[in-house]
Amino acid sequence: LAKFQCVEMSREIIGHGTWYDKMAARIIERERKLGRSLDMIRTEMGVGASGFPHIGSFADGARAYAVTLAIREQGYNSELIAFSDDKDGLRKVPAGLPKWLEKYLGYPVTDIPDPFKCHESFGHHMSALLREAYDKCGIEYKFMSAKEVYERGMLNKEIEEILANAKKVGEIVKEEVGQEKYLEVLPYFAVCENCGRIYTTRAYEFLPKERKVLYVCEGMEVKGKWLEGCGHRGEADYTKGEGKLSWKGEFAARWKALDIRFEAYGKDIADSVRVNDRICQEILGFPPPMHARYEMFLDKSGRKISKSTGNVFTPQVWLRYGSPQSLLLLTLKRFVGTRTLDVTDIPQYMMEFDELEDIYFGRKKIADEKEKAKLTGLYKYCWHLKPPKKPSIHVPYNLLVYLAKIAPKGKEKEFIIEKLRDYRYLGRDEKPTEDLLKRIEYAQNWATDYEKEIKETTVRLSEKEKKAINELIEFLKTEDSAEKIQNAIFQIARKHEIKPSNFFKVLYLILLGTQKGPRLGPYIIAMGRENVIQALKRALE
């Protein structure tokens, strides 16, 4: 118990009160029951290398790192392995990439030229994009390349055990998923020494003394398309990385070889995980890692966000318009359940993170201690458990976007900062913080790229509020004095028996998506009365 350094508000609260703390406690308890060493509790995430990384790929690493941090918080050493599947073959040319890549279908992605000509290979380029996003978001990990792991022989022992028990592997696969393929072929793909493809080879015999696999390059159906083999018969030395295990075995091999204790997975590979769990336990004699299953991010049409179908929402896109903490909030706030997502959600997450910060610093009160612990814990994990000493300056994202739109060309930043001084977000001589300057940059990028794309908050209005808004609309049609507009809002609220502070909150929600903001009179003039009138009318629909 001395190892558990918990900040408990009640008996139910573990660590910082989040799902990640609970998962860490479960992992530690399981390892104790298994009697394994607790000197290092290693977690793992997969790094795709066959297409552009998307938000779902990023989420895998962000969540695994949160579990790693939670394990450390409970007094144990933990590290996150980022394992790149860069020995995999290319199954489909991702949308938007040149057609000449089709001639490389079936080739290991690290044997394919980089179409952007800035990395050693196609695979190196794609994995580098995801690593770049992790680095920008402060996620710490130990990177491992499948290509290098195989070439260095780090999986040799596990490969031998799996190939020596290939019949048993085939039976497990058949029992779990009904596939009979591995009853006849070895769960290993050799790279054809003649044509260079990996998915066209069929491994049919294991030579344990020579440490080789015999294969024939026959061809294979990949993504509904037949890849013709070259007919070559050859032998592959698995100790030199001349091939790789199939997914029906590779997970298990690396779990044991790297001593992995936790790995989450998406529901799309649930069958592979189930098969590998059994291979790990029954053939390799190693208890598989504890798992957590997450679901996919979908685009607004309901399609899975995918690197091969063209509807890719990359971390780089998010980080152009939103902070690393807002991206981490997206990925950490909920683990299970499918979520729809697109670029227009970014402003909302920026504002939601501000609200989370208000809770952490006590600006917004949460009565339920368990809920408060969970939300403040979530805030800490978005900062990798190293939160700032004081809150940032919270300027509504929508406000910054509107200011960026109306700012004089070439002087946008100076204009926005001056307006923020007028609106009292900054003192007259106060210099903007780095955080605020970054927020302004996000808003400028948004205003440039998505001029008309800003989500308006849906506000449920009472009949009194609707009548008051209608009267305000009529007033705005003829009045252009900021001070008179400010006073009119008070008078209209009182006339309709609405508490003025509540009416202001309603207007802020409609116009800015947040419950507070600058003085409304001057802001309405800056935003443009007609724009405000249209926004108020949409709220009444």
Side-chain angles (χ1 to χ4, degrees):
L1 289 174
K3 287 264 189 180
F4 282 79
Q5 298 174 359
C6 301
V7 186
E8 289 195 298
M9 309 298 291
S10 70
R11 286 187 179 180
E12 292 80 19
I13 298 173
I14 298 172
H16 297 286
T18 71
W19 179 91
Y20 303 97
D21 299 279
K22 295 173 185 176
M23 177 54 71
R26 287 178 58 200
I27 293 167
I28 293 164
E29 182 59 28
R30 178 176 183 253
E31 293 303 315
R32 281 206 187 99
K33 288 180 179 178
L34 290 170
R36 295 198 286 196
S37 169
L38 296 175
D39 291 343
M40 175 58 74
I41 302 175
R42 197 168 282 115
T43 67
E44 186 182 48
M45 64 175 171
V47 176
S50 57
F52 294 107
H54 50 73
I55 294 294
S57 313
F58 177 87
D60 185 18
R63 291 159 173 167
Y65 186 52
V67 172
T68 300
L69 291 174
I71 292 169
R72 292 176 187 171
E73 282 293 280
Q74 296 186 27
Y76 298 89
N77 291 324
S78 183
E79 70 174 355
L80 171 61
I81 301 295
F83 194 96
S84 175
D85 296 311
D86 58 18
K87 190 73 176 175
D88 284 0
L90 183 66
R91 293 173 176 267
K92 184 178 180 181
V93 177
L97 290 185
K99 284 193 172 183
W100 59 258
L101 283 169
E102 288 184 358
K103 68 181 180 182
Y104 290 104
L105 289 175
Y107 281 73
V109 291
T110 41
D111 291 343
I112 301 173
D114 178 11
F116 301 95
K117 299 181 180 179
C118 55
H119 287 81
E120 187 180 335
S121 70
F122 178 98
H124 285 95
H125 184 101
M126 296 305 173
S127 61
L129 288 174
L130 192 53
R131 292 173 68 185
E132 175 190 64
Y134 288 145
D135 294 343
K136 285 184 177 180
C137 291
I139 294 171
E140 298 172 0
Y141 57 91
K142 180 178 179 181
F143 180 74
M144 299 190 80
S145 156
K147 175 181 170 64
E148 293 176 9
V149 165
Y150 277 103
E151 288 176 352
R152 289 167 56 190
M154 294 176 67
L155 302 182
N156 286 353
K157 185 178 177 182
E158 288 72 29
I159 292 171
E160 287 164 1
E161 289 185 70
I162 287 172
L163 293 180
N165 291 277
K167 184 178 179 181
K168 176 64 175 173
V169 170
E171 291 170 353
I172 290 173
V173 172
K174 182 182 178 182
E175 289 169 13
E176 292 297 332
V177 299
Q179 187 182 45
E180 298 185 358
K181 171 183 175 180
Y182 291 105
L183 292 173
E184 300 175 357
V185 303
L186 298 175
Y188 185 88
F189 287 112
V191 177
C192 180
E193 60 185 340
N194 184 55
C195 71
R197 286 194 170 95
I198 189 169
Y199 285 151
T200 52
T201 60
R202 174 174 64 86
Y204 61 87
E205 188 174 349
F206 170 44
L207 305 177
K209 291 182 180 179
E210 290 89 339
R211 308 184 87 179
K212 292 180 179 179
V213 171
L214 301 182
Y215 68 88
V216 58
C217 187
E218 293 182 331
M220 182 179 179
E221 186 176 321
V222 178
K223 297 284 186 180
K225 183 176 181 178
W226 180 258
L227 292 180
E228 192 64 51
C230 67
H232 178 74
R233 288 182 177 271
E235 53 186 37
D237 185 337
Y238 57 80
T239 67
K240 296 179 180 178
E242 294 178 356
K244 69 179 290 291
L245 288 166
S246 75
W247 275 28
K248 305 293 195 295
E250 184 178 87
F251 291 170
R254 72 193 201 204
W255 290 338
K256 181 179 181 183
L258 304 178
D259 191 20
I260 303 299
R261 310 294 181 86
F262 171 81
E263 181 162 13
Y265 66 90
K267 68 175 186 178
D268 56 334
I269 62 166
D271 288 347
S272 288
V273 170
R274 196 167 67 250
V275 167
N276 276 279
D277 278 352
R278 285 192 58 187
I279 292 172
C280 201
Q281 183 75 58
E282 298 173 28
I283 294 175
L284 301 181
F286 181 82
M290 179 169 280
H291 299 300
R293 180 175 131 169
Y294 55 82
E295 296 193 48
M296 304 294 105
F297 286 101
L298 306 178
D299 67 12
K300 295 300 182 183
S301 69
R303 293 187 305 156
K304 185 180 83 168
I305 292 175
S306 166
K307 57 195 172 191
S308 64
T309 58
N311 62 329
V312 180
F313 185 0
T314 69
Q316 281 77 9
V317 169
W318 186 288
L319 294 171
R320 176 167 169 77
Y321 311 111
S323 67
Q325 285 68 43
S326 68
L327 176 54
L328 289 167
L329 173 61
L330 165 76
T331 58
L332 298 181
K333 68 179 285 188
R334 204 170 79 205
F335 198 90
V336 298
T338 302
R339 275 184 280 173
T340 57
L341 182 70
D342 69 18
V343 177
T344 60
D345 292 311
I346 296 175
Q348 183 58 42
Y349 277 93
M350 286 288 287
M351 291 187 284
E352 189 175 333
F353 188 76
D354 284 347
E355 184 179 359
L356 201 62
E357 189 167 78
D358 283 340
I359 293 169
Y360 177 78
F361 283 102
R363 291 172 162 182
K364 181 175 180 179
K365 304 300 180 185
I366 302 292
D368 184 276
E369 288 299 322
K370 192 173 177 182
E371 181 68 9
K372 179 183 175 182
K374 183 177 76 174
L375 294 174
T376 56
L378 176 59
Y379 178 78
K380 291 175 189 175
Y381 278 106
C382 288
W383 285 105
H384 311 309
L385 301 181
K386 296 176 183 177
K389 302 293 184 185
K390 60 181 182 179
S392 58
I393 299 170
H394 292 177
V395 183
Y397 195 97
N398 293 14
L399 170 57
L400 290 175
V401 171
Y402 283 126
L403 291 176
K405 285 179 180 179
I406 65 173
K409 295 296 181 185
K411 295 184 178 180
E412 292 89 349
K413 189 173 292 184
E414 294 86 347
F415 174 85
I416 294 170
I417 291 170
E418 189 60 30
K419 284 295 180 183
L420 294 181
R421 289 196 174 107
D422 291 344
Y423 298 152
R424 299 181 183 177
Y425 285 103
L426 285 172
R428 183 46 55 188
D429 298 318
E430 184 182 357
K431 289 185 177 181
T433 62
E434 284 299 316
D435 176 79
L436 181 56
L437 290 173
K438 199 67 185 168
R439 284 172 179 247
I440 292 171
E441 183 183 326
Y442 296 141
Q444 285 180 280
N445 290 340
W446 186 277
T448 300
D449 299 347
Y450 295 98
E451 186 177 356
K452 296 181 180 179
E453 289 285 346
I454 194 77
K455 277 190 176 178
E456 293 177 348
T457 304
T458 301
V459 182
R460 188 171 292 179
L461 301 170
S462 66
E463 287 304 313
K464 287 182 180 180
E465 288 166 343
K466 288 178 181 178
K467 289 177 181 178
I469 288 172
N470 271 314
E471 185 169 337
L472 178 59
I473 288 171
E474 293 304 312
F475 184 81
L476 290 176
K477 288 178 179 178
T478 58
E479 184 54 64
D480 60 4
S481 164
E483 201 57 39
K484 287 182 179 180
I485 292 171
Q486 186 78 19
N487 291 333
I489 295 171
F490 281 99
Q491 294 166 7
I492 291 170
R494 293 190 182 104
K495 177 181 175 181
H496 292 275
E497 300 178 331
I498 302 169
K499 191 176 178 181
S501 61
N502 290 340
F503 192 43
F504 272 96
K505 281 182 183 179
V506 168
L507 295 175
Y508 282 129
L509 282 170
I510 293 170
L511 300 176
L512 293 171
T514 184
Q515 291 188 0
K516 56 186 177 181
R519 277 173 57 88
L520 267 179
Y523 175 67
I524 287 171
I525 296 301
M527 184 177 168
R529 287 180 298 149
E530 186 57 37
N531 291 332
V532 172
I533 289 169
Q534 293 307 315
L536 294 176
K537 284 182 175 179
R538 287 192 294 273
L540 292 170
E541 291 175 355

